[in-house]
PDB file of all heavy atoms in Angstrom:
ATOM      1  N   ARG A   1      10.187-152.994-104.782  1.00 98.00           N
ATOM      2  CA  ARG A   1      10.010-153.577-106.175  1.00 98.00           C
ATOM      3  C   ARG A   1       8.649-154.294-106.245  1.00 98.00           C
ATOM      4  O   ARG A   1       7.860-154.160-107.243  1.00 98.00           O
ATOM      5  CB  ARG A   1      11.113-154.606-106.635  1.00 98.00           C
ATOM      6  CG  ARG A   1      10.943-155.200-107.997  1.00 98.00           C
ATOM      7  CD  ARG A   1      12.080-155.964-108.449  1.00 98.00           C
ATOM      8  NE  ARG A   1      13.255-155.027-108.733  1.00 98.00           N
ATOM      9  CZ  ARG A   1      13.467-154.251-109.807  1.00 98.00           C
ATOM     10  NH1 ARG A   1      12.473-154.269-110.720  1.00 98.00           N
ATOM     11  NH2 ARG A   1      14.479-153.451-110.003  1.00 98.00           N
ATOM     12  N   GLU A   2       8.343-154.992-105.273  1.00 98.00           N
ATOM     13  CA  GLU A   2       6.985-155.612-105.257  1.00 98.00           C
ATOM     14  C   GLU A   2       5.804-154.569-105.240  1.00 98.00           C
ATOM     15  O   GLU A   2       4.826-154.739-105.969  1.00 98.00           O
ATOM     16  CB  GLU A   2       6.858-156.512-103.994  1.00 98.00           C
ATOM     17  CG  GLU A   2       7.730-157.730-103.938  1.00 98.00           C
ATOM     18  CD  GLU A   2       7.621-158.437-102.557  1.00 98.00           C
ATOM     19  OE1 GLU A   2       6.475-159.146-102.350  1.00 98.00           O
ATOM     20  OE2 GLU A   2       8.497-158.449-101.898  1.00 98.00           O
ATOM     21  N   VAL A   3       6.045-153.494-104.547  1.00 98.00           N
ATOM     22  CA  VAL A   3       5.070-152.451-104.530  1.00 98.00           C
ATOM     23  C   VAL A   3       4.924-151.808-105.964  1.00 98.00           C
ATOM     24  O   VAL A   3       3.845-151.743-106.492  1.00 98.00           O
ATOM     25  CB  VAL A   3       5.403-151.383-103.550  1.00 98.00           C
ATOM     26  CG1 VAL A   3       4.286-150.231-103.601  1.00 98.00           C
ATOM     27  CG2 VAL A   3       5.376-152.001-102.139  1.00 98.00           C
ATOM     28  N   PHE A   4       6.117-151.475-106.565  1.00 98.00           N
ATOM     29  CA  PHE A   4       6.113-150.846-107.897  1.00 98.00           C
ATOM     30  C   PHE A   4       5.480-151.776-108.947  1.00 98.00           C
ATOM     31  O   PHE A   4       4.774-151.378-109.796  1.00 98.00           O
ATOM     32  CB  PHE A   4       7.489-150.409-108.289  1.00 98.00           C
ATOM     33  CG  PHE A   4       7.864-149.096-107.751  1.00 98.00           C
ATOM     34  CD1 PHE A   4       8.597-149.020-106.533  1.00 98.00           C
ATOM     35  CD2 PHE A   4       7.608-147.951-108.387  1.00 98.00           C
ATOM     36  CE1 PHE A   4       9.013-147.721-105.870  1.00 98.00           C
ATOM     37  CE2 PHE A   4       7.991-146.714-107.911  1.00 98.00           C
ATOM     38  CZ  PHE A   4       8.686-146.612-106.649  1.00 98.00           C
ATOM     39  N   GLU A   5       5.895-153.095-108.762  1.00 98.00           N
ATOM     40  CA  GLU A   5       5.241-154.012-109.801  1.00 98.00           C
ATOM     41  C   GLU A   5       3.848-154.393-109.654  1.00 98.00           C
ATOM     42  O   GLU A   5       3.045-154.603-110.540  1.00 98.00           O
ATOM     43  CB  GLU A   5       6.131-155.325-109.708  1.00 98.00           C
ATOM     44  CG  GLU A   5       7.556-155.191-110.249  1.00 98.00           C
ATOM     45  CD  GLU A   5       8.433-156.374-110.185  1.00 98.00           C
ATOM     46  OE1 GLU A   5       7.968-157.417-109.570  1.00 98.00           O
ATOM     47  OE2 GLU A   5       9.399-156.470-110.758  1.00 98.00           O
ATOM     48  N   GLY A   6       3.423-154.268-108.470  1.00 98.00           N
ATOM     49  CA  GLY A   6       1.998-154.804-108.145  1.00 98.00           C
ATOM     50  C   GLY A   6       0.982-153.784-108.086  1.00 98.00           C
ATOM     51  O   GLY A   6      -0.260-154.119-107.997  1.00 98.00           O
ATOM     52  N   CYS A   7       1.259-152.416-107.951  1.00 98.00           N
ATOM     53  CA  CYS A   7       0.358-151.408-107.624  1.00 98.00           C
ATOM     54  C   CYS A   7       0.096-150.517-108.907  1.00 98.00           C
ATOM     55  O   CYS A   7       0.953-150.256-109.594  1.00 98.00           O
ATOM     56  CB  CYS A   7       0.744-150.558-106.498  1.00 98.00           C
ATOM     57  SG  CYS A   7       0.705-151.485-104.898  1.00 98.00           S
ATOM     58  N   GLU A   8      -1.203-150.122-109.048  1.00 98.00           N
ATOM     59  CA  GLU A   8      -1.569-149.168-110.130  1.00 98.00           C
ATOM     60  C   GLU A   8      -1.217-147.756-109.811  1.00 98.00           C
ATOM     61  O   GLU A   8      -0.892-146.998-110.761  1.00 98.00           O
ATOM     62  CB  GLU A   8      -3.069-149.238-110.303  1.00 98.00           C
ATOM     63  CG  GLU A   8      -3.557-150.771-110.626  1.00 98.00           C
ATOM     64  CD  GLU A   8      -5.120-150.811-110.370  1.00 98.00           C
ATOM     65  OE1 GLU A   8      -5.948-150.351-111.280  1.00 98.00           O
ATOM     66  OE2 GLU A   8      -5.385-151.486-109.374  1.00 98.00           O
ATOM     67  N   MET A   9      -1.198-147.398-108.535  1.00 98.00           N
ATOM     68  CA  MET A   9      -0.916-146.021-108.093  1.00 98.00           C
ATOM     69  C   MET A   9       0.217-146.106-107.062  1.00 98.00           C
ATOM     70  O   MET A   9       0.026-146.760-105.948  1.00 98.00           O
ATOM     71  CB  MET A   9      -2.096-145.133-107.656  1.00 98.00           C
ATOM     72  CG  MET A   9      -1.693-143.764-107.205  1.00 98.00           C
ATOM     73  SD  MET A   9      -3.066-142.693-107.126  1.00 98.00           S
ATOM     74  CE  MET A   9      -3.972-143.272-105.684  1.00 98.00           C
ATOM     75  N   ILE A  10       1.129-145.342-107.140  1.00 98.00           N
ATOM     76  CA  ILE A  10       2.252-145.165-106.227  1.00 98.00           C
ATOM     77  C   ILE A  10       2.155-143.777-105.469  1.00 98.00           C
ATOM     78  O   ILE A  10       2.150-142.783-106.173  1.00 98.00           O
ATOM     79  CB  ILE A  10       3.702-145.310-106.727  1.00 98.00           C
ATOM     80  CG1 ILE A  10       3.813-146.652-107.577  1.00 98.00           C
ATOM     81  CG2 ILE A  10       4.802-145.240-105.643  1.00 98.00           C
ATOM     82  CD1 ILE A  10       3.706-147.843-106.666  1.00 98.00           C
ATOM     83  N   VAL A  11       2.021-143.881-104.181  1.00 98.00           N
ATOM     84  CA  VAL A  11       2.017-142.460-103.474  1.00 98.00           C
ATOM     85  C   VAL A  11       3.190-142.436-102.701  1.00 98.00           C
ATOM     86  O   VAL A  11       3.571-143.288-101.762  1.00 98.00           O
ATOM     87  CB  VAL A  11       0.696-142.508-102.468  1.00 98.00           C
ATOM     88  CG1 VAL A  11       0.707-141.163-101.684  1.00 98.00           C
ATOM     89  CG2 VAL A  11      -0.503-142.715-103.245  1.00 98.00           C
ATOM     90  N   LYS A  12       3.880-141.321-102.891  1.00 98.00           N
ATOM     91  CA  LYS A  12       5.199-141.053-102.226  1.00 98.00           C
ATOM     92  C   LYS A  12       5.276-139.761-101.517  1.00 98.00           C
ATOM     93  O   LYS A  12       4.281-139.009-101.554  1.00 98.00           O
ATOM     94  CB  LYS A  12       6.433-141.177-103.187  1.00 98.00           C
ATOM     95  CG  LYS A  12       6.672-142.682-103.864  1.00 98.00           C
ATOM     96  CD  LYS A  12       7.931-142.610-104.683  1.00 98.00           C
ATOM     97  CE  LYS A  12       9.280-142.655-103.916  1.00 98.00           C
ATOM     98  NZ  LYS A  12       9.706-141.399-103.460  1.00 98.00           N
ATOM     99  N   VAL A  13       6.452-139.345-101.135  1.00 97.00           N
ATOM    100  CA  VAL A  13       6.761-137.900-100.576  1.00 97.00           C
ATOM    101  C   VAL A  13       7.605-137.260-101.604  1.00 97.00           C
ATOM    102  O   VAL A  13       7.300-136.300-102.229  1.00 97.00           O
ATOM    103  CB  VAL A  13       7.252-138.003 -99.192  1.00 97.00           C
ATOM    104  CG1 VAL A  13       7.499-136.536 -98.786  1.00 97.00           C
ATOM    105  CG2 VAL A  13       6.302-138.606 -98.355  1.00 97.00           C
ATOM    106  N   LYS A  14       8.860-137.715-101.637  1.00 95.00           N
ATOM    107  CA  LYS A  14       9.897-137.064-102.458  1.00 95.00           C
ATOM    108  C   LYS A  14       9.830-137.707-103.916  1.00 95.00           C
ATOM    109  O   LYS A  14       9.259-138.806-104.211  1.00 95.00           O
ATOM    110  CB  LYS A  14      11.266-137.311-101.903  1.00 95.00           C
ATOM    111  CG  LYS A  14      11.539-136.444-100.563  1.00 95.00           C
ATOM    112  CD  LYS A  14      11.272-135.024-100.774  1.00 95.00           C
ATOM    113  CE  LYS A  14      12.280-134.347-101.685  1.00 95.00           C
ATOM    114  NZ  LYS A  14      11.797-132.960-101.983  1.00 95.00           N
ATOM    115  N   GLU A  15      10.529-136.888-104.777  1.00 96.00           N
ATOM    116  CA  GLU A  15      10.672-137.331-106.192  1.00 96.00           C
ATOM    117  C   GLU A  15      11.250-138.779-106.168  1.00 96.00           C
ATOM    118  O   GLU A  15      12.077-139.051-105.525  1.00 96.00           O
ATOM    119  CB  GLU A  15      11.406-136.373-106.952  1.00 96.00           C
ATOM    120  CG  GLU A  15      12.889-136.263-106.823  1.00 96.00           C
ATOM    121  CD  GLU A  15      13.232-135.402-105.447  1.00 96.00           C
ATOM    122  OE1 GLU A  15      12.368-134.943-104.831  1.00 96.00           O
ATOM    123  OE2 GLU A  15      14.487-135.364-105.085  1.00 96.00           O
ATOM    124  N   PRO A  16      10.828-139.567-107.146  1.00 98.00           N
ATOM    125  CA  PRO A  16      11.415-140.830-107.283  1.00 98.00           C
ATOM    126  C   PRO A  16      12.908-140.819-107.575  1.00 98.00           C
ATOM    127  O   PRO A  16      13.368-140.092-108.430  1.00 98.00           O
ATOM    128  CB  PRO A  16      10.658-141.638-108.361  1.00 98.00           C
ATOM    129  CG  PRO A  16      10.106-140.482-109.211  1.00 98.00           C
ATOM    130  CD  PRO A  16       9.906-139.362-108.180  1.00 98.00           C
ATOM    131  N   GLN A  17      13.800-141.614-106.845  1.00 97.00           N
ATOM    132  CA  GLN A  17      15.161-141.596-107.081  1.00 97.00           C
ATOM    133  C   GLN A  17      15.403-142.450-108.373  1.00 97.00           C
ATOM    134  O   GLN A  17      14.525-143.186-108.870  1.00 97.00           O
ATOM    135  CB  GLN A  17      15.925-142.014-105.892  1.00 97.00           C
ATOM    136  CG  GLN A  17      15.685-141.286-104.669  1.00 97.00           C
ATOM    137  CD  GLN A  17      16.010-139.879-104.795  1.00 97.00           C
ATOM    138  OE1 GLN A  17      17.236-139.504-104.900  1.00 97.00           O
ATOM    139  NE2 GLN A  17      15.126-138.920-104.877  1.00 97.00           N
ATOM    140  N   ALA A  18      16.620-142.560-108.904  1.00 98.00           N
ATOM    141  CA  ALA A  18      16.945-143.207-110.124  1.00 98.00           C
ATOM    142  C   ALA A  18      16.505-144.634-110.113  1.00 98.00           C
ATOM    143  O   ALA A  18      15.904-145.195-111.057  1.00 98.00           O
ATOM    144  CB  ALA A  18      18.337-142.963-110.450  1.00 98.00           C
ATOM    145  N   ALA A  19      16.811-145.327-108.901  1.00 98.00           N
ATOM    146  CA  ALA A  19      16.506-146.700-108.738  1.00 98.00           C
ATOM    147  C   ALA A  19      14.922-146.946-108.793  1.00 98.00           C
ATOM    148  O   ALA A  19      14.501-148.007-109.222  1.00 98.00           O
ATOM    149  CB  ALA A  19      17.042-147.361-107.475  1.00 98.00           C
ATOM    150  N   GLU A  20      14.236-145.985-108.232  1.00 98.00           N
ATOM    151  CA  GLU A  20      12.717-146.117-108.300  1.00 98.00           C
ATOM    152  C   GLU A  20      12.163-145.720-109.631  1.00 98.00           C
ATOM    153  O   GLU A  20      11.289-146.389-110.004  1.00 98.00           O
ATOM    154  CB  GLU A  20      12.132-145.201-107.226  1.00 98.00           C
ATOM    155  CG  GLU A  20      12.601-145.470-105.805  1.00 98.00           C
ATOM    156  CD  GLU A  20      12.195-144.446-104.804  1.00 98.00           C
ATOM    157  OE1 GLU A  20      12.386-143.179-105.125  1.00 98.00           O
ATOM    158  OE2 GLU A  20      11.713-144.721-103.655  1.00 98.00           O
ATOM    159  N   ARG A  21      12.752-144.869-110.318  1.00 98.00           N
ATOM    160  CA  ARG A  21      12.365-144.501-111.643  1.00 98.00           C
ATOM    161  C   ARG A  21      12.352-145.607-112.614  1.00 98.00           C
ATOM    162  O   ARG A  21      11.573-145.847-113.470  1.00 98.00           O
ATOM    163  CB  ARG A  21      12.945-143.238-112.220  1.00 98.00           C
ATOM    164  CG  ARG A  21      12.837-142.025-111.398  1.00 98.00           C
ATOM    165  CD  ARG A  21      13.286-140.682-112.059  1.00 98.00           C
ATOM    166  NE  ARG A  21      14.695-140.633-112.429  1.00 98.00           N
ATOM    167  CZ  ARG A  21      15.575-140.029-111.684  1.00 98.00           C
ATOM    168  NH1 ARG A  21      15.186-139.629-110.470  1.00 98.00           N
ATOM    169  NH2 ARG A  21      16.908-139.941-112.148  1.00 98.00           N
ATOM    170  N   ALA A  22      13.477-146.455-112.373  1.00 98.00           N
ATOM    171  CA  ALA A  22      13.646-147.625-113.232  1.00 98.00           C
ATOM    172  C   ALA A  22      12.474-148.666-113.087  1.00 98.00           C
ATOM    173  O   ALA A  22      12.363-149.462-113.802  1.00 98.00           O
ATOM    174  CB  ALA A  22      15.051-148.206-112.966  1.00 98.00           C
ATOM    175  N   MET A  23      11.762-148.568-111.949  1.00 98.00           N
ATOM    176  CA  MET A  23      10.750-149.525-111.753  1.00 98.00           C
ATOM    177  C   MET A  23       9.235-149.022-112.153  1.00 98.00           C
ATOM    178  O   MET A  23       8.350-149.800-112.139  1.00 98.00           O
ATOM    179  CB  MET A  23      10.638-149.919-110.249  1.00 98.00           C
ATOM    180  CG  MET A  23      11.878-150.676-109.734  1.00 98.00           C
ATOM    181  SD  MET A  23      11.843-151.240-108.132  1.00 98.00           S
ATOM    182  CE  MET A  23      12.153-149.693-107.200  1.00 98.00           C
ATOM    183  N   LEU A  24       9.234-147.728-112.508  1.00 98.00           N
ATOM    184  CA  LEU A  24       7.893-147.292-113.002  1.00 98.00           C
ATOM    185  C   LEU A  24       7.610-147.832-114.405  1.00 98.00           C
ATOM    186  O   LEU A  24       8.475-148.156-115.218  1.00 98.00           O
ATOM    187  CB  LEU A  24       8.077-145.724-113.105  1.00 98.00           C
ATOM    188  CG  LEU A  24       8.178-145.016-111.716  1.00 98.00           C
ATOM    189  CD1 LEU A  24       8.472-143.563-112.092  1.00 98.00           C
ATOM    190  CD2 LEU A  24       6.942-145.056-110.990  1.00 98.00           C
TER     191      LEU A  24
END
């Protein structure tokens, strides 16, 4: 959550899961 809230760009591997999408 800190990463999603604090960063302008998120670099991942797999598609964001539902819990991650809620933080975008």
Side-chain angles (χ1 to χ4, degrees):
R1 180 169 293 279
E2 291 176 71
V3 177
F4 277 93
E5 290 180 351
C7 293
E8 299 159 79
M9 177 164 69
I10 305 295
V11 181
K12 290 181 82 279
V13 178
K14 291 304 293 178
E15 71 280 357
Q17 304 300 290
E20 295 172 318
R21 299 197 295 268
M23 295 186 280
L24 292 168

